[in-house]
Amino acid sequence: MQSGSNDPFELEAMTALRRDLHAHPELGFEEVRTSAIVAEKLSEAGIEVHRGLGKTGIVGTLKIGTGTRRIALRADMDALAMPELADRLYKSETPNTMHACGHDGHTVMLLAAARHLARTRNFSGTVQFIFQPAEEGRGGAKAMLEQGFLQLFPVDAVYGLHNMPGLATNEMAVVVGPQLASSDSWTVTFKGIGTHGAKPHLGRDAITAAGHFLAAIHTIVARVVDPLQPAVISACALDAGDFKALNVIPDTVRIGGTARAYTPEVRDQLEKEIGIVAQGIAATFGVEADYNFLRRIPPVVNHPDATQRALHAAAAATGRSVVTDFPPSTAGDDFAFFSAEVPGAYVWLGNGPAVDGALHHNSRYDFNDEAIPTGARFWTTLVEQELPA
């Protein structure tokens, strides 16, 4: 579809594409169909395409003029392993797979901007359009970096965008400093001596130890971490015993959960303190504790200079005041791996009201297509302001 002056971002075609991607969601590192469509649309616009970085990742390169500054714009492409329960014409056709976080919209907004920039050529410099796989906990950003993203496509700054229900579709939030928390996983296995439920004194009760541990870990945030430093520790999985043998105290209890922080120092503290509590509880009850802390995603912290540039672009793109006091989220995003290497800014774009309370990762969530022009305009404006012709 050719865009006219009244439709610079091919909105009819891009809206149809967004809904097509929604109907055909793909999990992390499985975005074969999605990445093929992205590659085709970029090539069609005359943008150089590099396929297969991070398995299913796509990088589109657009170099115009003699400008030496190089920036990267990132959109994620993957869906979540969950069912879509809302009825809509473009409902997911893939069982237990759903675009419940708006990555279908993120992909289309960046694609619309890339095609527009390739047509208008109103900048001087280099833009790397990152279409990243596997943001949802599978390590897509890290995989792209480990396979040489910065060596193949060196950049001076990187930008990310995520939709946010609750803000209007022509509204954006841009805030310096922490935006998203680190996202780490931990497990503790208490190993006791199993025994008859009627004779607990003959064993070492891992169940009781686990119960005390579950209560005690919540004192870490309340009594050990500085109360002015946000942090979260949550137990999210428990495996012990058998409901067909309710007269048996089991030998082992396995507990797992998540830890979140906004600073490296608090992140280190959470890792250390969970282990201290686990070993202390184990000693109290005469059992053993095997503790493992898996560092998954660092916090997303917006760089002052990149944030200021994004703020100017957001104000110009929306024509309204930009929210600059938006609270950080305790969710995580592996955009953090990119912004840990070069100055970065992660911004929020309104997704309109949360219809029926459907926020991110909800089985009835849907990206709001009315946000497509705002997102595409933001990306375009950012490039044209950062890399003036």
Side-chain angles (χ1 to χ4, degrees):
M1 174 180 176
Q2 296 296 317
S3 68
S5 59
N6 294 326
D7 185 20
F9 299 117
E10 308 169 288
L11 291 180
E12 183 179 345
M14 288 297 151
T15 298
L17 176 58
R18 203 286 298 179
R19 297 183 177 192
D20 174 77
L21 295 178
H22 189 94
H24 301 90
E26 296 171 301
L27 300 178
F29 295 127
E30 300 173 16
E31 306 95 337
V32 175
R33 180 182 186 274
T34 303
S35 63
I37 292 172
V38 168
E40 178 187 359
K41 295 295 184 183
L42 292 174
S43 295
E44 189 179 273
I47 297 170
E48 182 182 342
V49 176
H50 183 106
R51 302 185 64 161
L53 196 68
K55 192 173 181 180
T56 46
I58 298 286
V59 180
T61 302
L62 184 59
K63 187 179 189 312
I64 303 293
T66 58
T68 58
R69 185 165 173 81
R70 305 157 300 182
I71 63 173
L73 315 180
R74 176 271 207 166
D76 36 20
M77 301 187 293
D78 57 324
L80 286 151
M82 57 186 288
E84 182 164 12
L85 299 185
D87 281 326
R88 46 183 63 107
L89 293 176
Y90 47 91
K91 182 177 180 179
S92 172
E93 297 176 15
T94 307
N96 203 48
T97 309
M98 178 192 174
H99 270 298
C101 205
H103 297 185
D104 46 351
H106 299 169
T107 298
V108 164
M109 288 187 292
L110 185 56
L111 197 55
R115 289 168 61 87
H116 176 71
L117 287 163
R119 287 190 298 271
T120 57
R121 303 171 66 86
N122 187 30
F123 69 95
S124 182
T126 302
V127 186
Q128 306 292 356
F129 302 99
I130 305 171
F131 292 87
Q132 183 204 308
E135 184 277 325
E136 296 287 359
R138 295 191 176 191
K142 191 174 183 181
M144 294 186 84
L145 286 164
E146 288 176 345
Q147 293 179 22
F149 171 79
L150 285 174
Q151 290 71 43
L152 294 167
F153 313 102
V155 293
D156 303 304
V158 62
Y159 297 89
L161 176 153
H162 204 290
N163 74 90
M164 179 53 67
L167 296 175
T169 55
N170 64 342
E171 187 175 23
M172 296 186 69
V174 182
V175 185
V176 72
Q179 296 307 296
L180 293 153
S182 57
S183 177
D184 300 319
S185 300
W186 55 265
T187 59
V188 175
T189 301
F190 290 104
K191 298 179 179 180
I193 299 174
T195 187
H196 198 296
K199 301 176 182 180
H201 61 291
L202 299 179
R204 289 287 182 266
D205 189 354
I207 288 272
T208 299
H212 282 261
F213 170 79
L214 287 171
I217 57 170
H218 297 296
T219 65
I220 295 172
V221 173
R223 290 293 178 267
V224 179
V225 175
D226 183 339
L228 298 180
Q229 295 291 333
V232 174
I233 298 173
S234 291
C236 303
L238 180 64
D239 183 18
D242 190 329
F243 278 86
K244 295 178 181 178
L246 295 179
N247 58 352
V248 177
I249 295 174
D251 290 280
T252 62
V253 179
R254 187 167 181 246
I255 304 170
T258 189
R260 308 286 171 118
Y262 291 123
T263 68
E265 295 77 18
V266 175
R267 191 185 192 193
D268 292 342
Q269 194 174 22
L270 297 183
E271 178 177 4
K272 175 184 175 183
E273 294 296 334
I274 295 170
I276 288 174
V277 171
Q279 297 300 335
I281 294 292
T284 299
F285 289 93
V287 301
E288 297 179 6
D290 287 343
Y291 170 55
N292 181 59
F293 191 94
L294 176 62
R295 294 192 170 224
R296 296 175 56 247
I297 303 172
V300 173
V301 181
N302 279 355
H303 186 276
D305 177 65
T307 305
Q308 195 64 27
R309 293 170 184 266
L311 178 63
H312 288 317
T318 61
R320 59 183 294 175
S321 297
V322 179
V323 179
T324 57
D325 58 353
F326 198 75
S329 169
T330 51
D333 192 311
D334 66 359
F335 175 83
F337 286 107
F338 289 115
S339 59
E341 298 294 330
V342 295
Y346 186 98
V347 305
W348 304 101
L349 167 66
N351 197 61
V355 179
D356 298 326
L359 298 170
H360 300 136
H361 294 218
N362 181 285
S363 56
R364 289 178 169 80
Y365 167 89
D366 188 23
F367 180 84
N368 190 332
D369 291 323
E370 292 181 8
I372 293 175
T374 308
R377 195 177 304 116
F378 167 75
W379 284 133
T380 301
T381 304
L382 179 64
V383 170
E384 292 176 347
Q385 288 187 355
E386 275 240 37
L387 311 175

